Amino acid sequence: MYSVIKYSIIENLRSKFYLASIGMILFIIWLSHYSSQINYNYGNYTLSILTLGMYFTKLILFAFIIFLPVSNLSQEIETGTIYFLLSKKLKRYKYLAAKYITYMILYAALLFFAVFSLWLLTYVFVSKRPEMSLKLLYFMYSEFLSGMMILSIVFFIYTAIKAQVVTSILTAITYFISIMLNSAKEIAEKAQDASVRCFYLFLYYIFPNFSYFNLEKNIVYGRAVDIKYFFMMFCYAAIFSLILFIISAVFFNSREL
Amino acid sequence: MKNQKIEGVMYKSIGEFCIYVIKFTKYTKAIGECMLKIDNLKKTFNKKIALDGINLNVKKGEVFGFIGRNGAGKSTTIKSVLGFVFPDSGEMFFKDEPLDQSKFRESIGYLPEIAKFPEKLTAKEFLTYSYSFYKKITGATRDKISQLLEDVGLKESKNKLINTFSKGMKQRLGIAQSVIHDPELLILDEPFTGLDPVGKDGLKKILIDQNKEGKTIFFSSHNLTEVQDICSVICTLHNGKVVYQGATSDFIKEQSSNSLEEAFIKSYSRSGGKDV
């Protein structure tokens, strides 16, 4: 399993996709700097850069954590590379776990690069705000956990339906529904019709709630977050990802190649 | 005193005799030992019969050619053996024991039909990667990998990325990865496909050498000239059914032909010549 992780990382680092992602991160950091000059809403230059920078970074990371695994996994299956791997002494669930860890490592490296670039821009080059350095770690932590959950959704959908494009679209839809779950709960509470209430409650309970991982306001306005909340976030993401990963492994195990 | 000496010599002789008997029994057993056995294997894809009760018996030390037209069921059989496809019914045995995938994979080397390997790795990295599934990488492993690359004629290209390799080079690298852990059985799916005559000849030599080293080789192919050259035993497959299994020379004689290709065409026409 360790060797699958090691060589998958080497392979991905040599691919154009990863280099392009790093290039995109640099571009969006520049874009957030440029946009903050145009859209100076917050009365504070650093806060403006941070808000836009985190927003753009989230978009890039979101695209990365969906498209890299989907294209990579489907390519391995369609071209037959998977036959080489699975004819060795490697169990299918271990292959899946190795791939999951590989993508999380690559994602974490990209996230670190993005956060480091943002920190350089806000702290070193533009305005010296030392307190921002620590707050950016909040962003790193929450994005890592939400990346973990998105990746498990990708694995779950891909192993269940085996289609590249549909997996990407369904994961994106799941994510967008999931960030609006609080609104779904509000609608359910206000709804008169029982069927409407049931539908929104169903959405609320069946989809993962990504709004728990939204700490941008705390970061921008320098609000502290309770350590218990961080722990709760970790437990939520870990349990959700583990359950989905186990289901994905069962699907993958019963799949003909 | 004298008696004790005689008894001692006698016991020693009986002991040695017993060891000879055990060795001889093991040797005679090994000659005909069954490496891979398939019993009544059936598989259907969307109501279309791919395998219709396949029976196979690959013995230790054989070079076994598995031949048939495109879509005859060769790859499906191999994929079933490797656990990539789940058969509807039938039994598989490895060394006379029910096939246990985890044990089986330790003892086999496999070359897929389309040898697509991780393209962004170098040949040396790829072989190290392949070896790491079985044993820990040591200094001796690195020497073994260098030797193996030399054996398959890829010594000069060991640090080149696989995506720069020609089809023949990839195929030779594929053979190298399949034998790196010294397996007992080699399963090769269409190893000659897409190779030029020089490439085919090179691959043939590698397979003959591997067989001389004691490896059993099971390969599917529709390059019948190569099969005739290196296979002692063949199995022909038509519409998911085994039509013949036995010595290559007997099959050619049975069909009153001069070559395996001619014999195969005759056999195919006689069996109805239906496409799957």
Side-chain angles (χ1 to χ4, degrees):
Chain A
M1 195 166 127
Y2 164 72
S3 56
V4 179
I5 297 169
K6 181 185 164 187
Y7 288 101
S8 299
I9 289 175
I10 293 175
E11 250 199 294
N12 278 293
L13 289 179
R14 284 175 187 164
S15 75
K16 285 174 191 156
F17 190 84
Y18 203 73
L19 286 174
S21 304
I22 292 173
M24 282 297 283
I25 291 285
L26 287 174
F27 172 71
I28 54 131
I29 300 298
W30 170 81
L31 192 68
S32 56
H33 179 215
Y34 183 73
S35 311
S36 65
Q37 288 172 327
I38 301 168
N39 188 13
Y40 190 63
N41 282 336
Y42 295 87
N44 183 315
Y45 197 50
T46 309
L47 297 186
S48 193
I49 294 174
L50 264 181
T51 312
L52 291 163
M54 284 190 295
Y55 176 73
F56 290 135
T57 306
K58 273 184 103 151
L59 280 180
I60 297 292
L61 290 171
F62 177 68
F64 177 84
I65 202 65
I66 292 180
F67 293 119
L68 180 77
V70 170
S71 66
N72 214 308
L73 283 176
S74 63
Q75 208 182 0
E76 283 202 350
I77 293 171
E78 279 160 26
T79 59
T81 313
I82 198 162
Y83 294 135
F84 144 71
L85 287 167
L86 295 180
S87 68
K88 309 282 179 204
K89 217 177 118 191
L90 178 71
K91 290 205 163 90
R92 286 191 186 194
Y93 77 89
K94 281 190 178 173
Y95 163 81
L96 214 58
K99 288 288 170 187
Y100 188 90
I101 295 168
T102 301
Y103 301 133
M104 277 318 292
I105 291 172
L106 292 168
Y107 176 81
L110 204 63
L111 176 64
F112 178 77
F113 179 72
V115 168
F116 181 70
S117 309
L118 261 178
W119 175 77
L120 275 183
L121 194 69
T122 54
Y123 178 58
V124 179
F125 295 126
V126 180
S127 61
K128 293 185 176 177
R129 296 283 302 267
E131 73 278 8
M132 285 300 159
S133 323
L134 214 66
K135 293 289 181 289
L136 273 172
L137 289 178
Y138 287 6
F139 178 66
M140 216 165 127
Y141 182 73
S142 61
E143 276 310 292
F144 181 81
L145 294 181
S146 64
M148 209 162 104
M149 287 173 65
I150 296 169
L151 186 60
S152 63
I153 296 171
V154 170
F155 271 51
F156 170 72
I157 298 175
Y158 186 71
T159 50
I161 61 171
K162 311 173 197 174
Q164 198 177 341
V165 180
V166 183
T167 301
S168 310
I169 294 169
L170 283 181
T171 310
I173 291 171
T174 308
Y175 179 74
F176 289 116
I177 292 174
S178 300
I179 54 173
M180 293 187 290
L181 282 184
N182 289 341
S183 310
K185 199 184 180 187
E186 277 172 27
I187 295 170
E189 280 166 0
K190 288 174 190 168
Q192 302 291 322
D193 190 357
S195 58
V196 173
R197 193 165 53 242
C198 283
F199 174 72
Y200 281 102
L201 279 177
F202 172 76
L203 288 183
Y204 183 77
Y205 286 112
I206 204 77
F207 281 83
N209 199 335
F210 277 94
S211 59
Y212 295 152
F213 302 90
N214 192 353
L215 297 178
E216 268 105 285
K217 280 185 183 169
N218 293 63
I219 298 162
V220 171
Y221 297 112
R223 291 178 204 147
V225 179
D226 190 4
I227 192 88
K228 280 180 193 165
Y229 190 77
F230 283 130
F231 181 69
M232 196 267 309
M233 275 166 75
F234 174 78
C235 291
Y236 186 82
I239 293 168
F240 176 83
S241 306
L242 185 69
I243 292 171
L244 234 52
F245 181 81
I246 292 169
I247 301 171
S248 311
V250 171
F251 282 153
F252 191 58
N253 227 19
S254 58
R255 178 177 172 171
E256 289 192 330
L257 298 168
Chain B
M1 189 73 177
K2 200 180 175 185
N3 275 346
Q4 270 182 352
K5 207 175 179 182
I6 291 167
E7 274 173 17
V9 170
M10 204 169 82
Y11 288 139
K12 201 184 164 192
S13 308
I14 291 169
E16 277 175 359
F17 177 74
C18 288
I19 290 166
Y20 282 133
V21 170
I22 291 164
K23 276 187 181 173
F24 182 73
T25 318
K26 270 188 184 171
Y27 174 73
T28 46
K29 205 181 165 190
I31 290 172
E33 194 182 320
C34 183
M35 188 59 92
L36 179 69
K37 194 179 175 195
I38 296 173
D39 264 350
N40 202 23
L41 200 69
K42 287 183 181 175
K43 177 69 190 171
T44 329
F45 291 112
N46 301 324
K47 294 179 184 173
K48 197 173 163 186
I49 299 167
L51 303 178
D52 193 5
I54 298 273
N55 292 303
L56 275 182
N57 201 342
V58 183
K59 286 178 183 162
K60 193 174 180 178
E62 277 180 350
V63 182
F64 191 100
F66 194 38
I67 60 176
R69 287 193 68 197
N70 289 332
K74 304 186 296 292
S75 292
T76 308
T77 309
I78 291 178
K79 283 180 181 176
S80 301
V81 169
L82 291 161
F84 299 149
V85 159
F86 310 126
D88 301 332
S89 64
E91 284 179 299
M92 292 179 278
F93 300 90
F94 178 62
K95 291 163 97 177
D96 295 323
E97 278 174 26
L99 197 143
D100 170 14
Q101 283 296 341
S102 57
K103 280 183 190 170
F104 180 61
R105 284 176 192 186
E106 269 185 59
S107 318
I108 62 139
Y110 171 62
L111 178 71
E113 184 177 0
I114 303 155
K116 269 277 183 185
F117 304 123
E119 301 267 295
K120 297 281 177 190
L121 297 182
T122 65
K124 202 176 163 185
E125 282 171 344
F126 176 62
L127 290 186
T128 315
Y129 184 20
S130 302
Y131 191 80
S132 66
F133 288 102
Y134 303 95
K135 282 166 196 165
K136 217 176 170 183
I137 307 292
T138 59
T141 318
R142 285 181 196 103
D143 295 342
K144 190 180 177 178
I145 288 167
S146 299
Q147 184 59 48
L148 199 56
L149 282 166
E150 199 176 334
D151 292 346
V152 294
L154 292 172
K155 197 186 172 187
E156 304 298 315
S157 315
K158 66 178 179 186
N159 292 321
K160 284 184 186 166
L161 291 180
I162 297 174
N163 62 5
T164 62
F165 280 20
S166 67
K167 167 85 184 164
M169 288 164 88
K170 281 182 186 171
Q171 211 71 337
R172 278 182 279 149
L173 185 66
I175 294 286
Q177 67 80 27
S178 64
V179 299
I180 195 155
H181 56 292
D182 212 15
E184 292 173 78
L185 174 66
L186 277 183
I187 299 178
L188 316 170
D189 197 357
E190 304 281 0
F192 293 101
T193 307
L195 293 182
D196 59 38
V198 181
K200 281 179 186 172
D201 191 53
L203 186 59
K204 219 154 65 180
K205 279 176 189 158
I206 294 171
L207 294 183
I208 291 168
D209 287 345
Q210 289 298 325
N211 183 241
K212 276 180 189 165
E213 283 174 23
K215 290 184 180 65
T216 308
I217 300 172
F218 174 83
F219 78 93
S220 74
S221 183
H222 35 234
N223 284 281
L224 301 183
T225 318
E226 278 69 38
V227 175
Q228 188 177 350
D229 287 348
I230 61 172
C231 291
S232 47
V233 180
I234 56 159
C235 172
T236 61
L237 207 63
H238 288 320
N239 299 339
K241 280 182 183 169
V242 172
V243 176
Y244 173 86
Q245 187 180 329
T248 315
S249 51
D250 291 348
F251 181 65
I252 297 169
K253 269 184 211 163
E254 240 177 56
Q255 301 295 329
S256 323
S257 308
N258 297 317
S259 68
L260 181 62
E261 199 165 316
E262 196 188 329
F264 178 75
I265 293 166
K266 278 184 183 174
S267 156
Y268 178 69
S269 318
R270 280 171 198 165
S271 70
K274 277 184 206 164
D275 282 319
V276 179

